[in-house]
Amino acid sequence: MLVVLPGLEARRLEVEESAKDPPPYSPIIASCAPKLPKNCGDEVKESVLGLEGSVPTADSCRQLVRWGKTCHDAFARLLVSREPTSQKSSILTNSITIWEG
């Protein structure tokens, strides 16, 4: 899958290449899930999935940064594993955009 994002391609490759590593319910997901409040997790999920009008609030963004990139990437890989192939590229793109904020 190729996503061309000027200035972000190296990070995109990092997320994409590691997308094969952890299974959907990996220990990473299990350890990360309790660290992000449900309302923030829902906002981030909706934004990563590209639901219309969904943008994480400033509080959710701060919580996401505290959550850490490892958890964010694991969450993105989980979403990619559950969505149709036609949406995988946009999910990865949205994930990077949200993290880079």
Side-chain angles (χ1 to χ4, degrees):
M1 174 178 343
L2 178 63
V3 178
V4 179
L5 295 172
L8 297 177
E9 187 170 352
R11 290 201 175 117
R12 187 230 18 112
L13 291 174
E14 175 186 315
V15 171
E16 182 179 2
E17 288 172 6
S18 62
K20 301 171 194 164
D21 297 341
Y25 292 102
S26 70
I28 295 171
I29 294 291
S31 68
C32 291
K35 297 178 186 176
L36 190 68
K38 183 178 178 352
N39 64 319
C40 294
D42 290 344
E43 288 179 14
V44 172
K45 176 183 174 183
E46 291 169 3
S47 298
V48 169
L49 291 174
L51 300 180
E52 189 173 330
S54 59
V55 176
T57 62
D59 181 56
S60 291
C61 289
R62 283 189 295 276
Q63 292 286 340
L64 181 63
V65 169
R66 282 187 218 123
W67 202 35
K69 183 149 175 43
T70 300
C71 289
H72 176 73
D73 288 348
F75 181 67
R77 289 190 301 270
L78 174 64
L79 292 176
V80 164
S81 74
R82 294 179 164 192
E83 295 300 320
T85 301
S86 62
Q87 293 182 315
K88 292 180 188 235
S89 178
S90 66
I91 290 170
L92 289 173
T93 301
N94 293 343
S95 173
I96 293 165
T97 301
I98 290 166
W99 182 259
E100 294 294 322

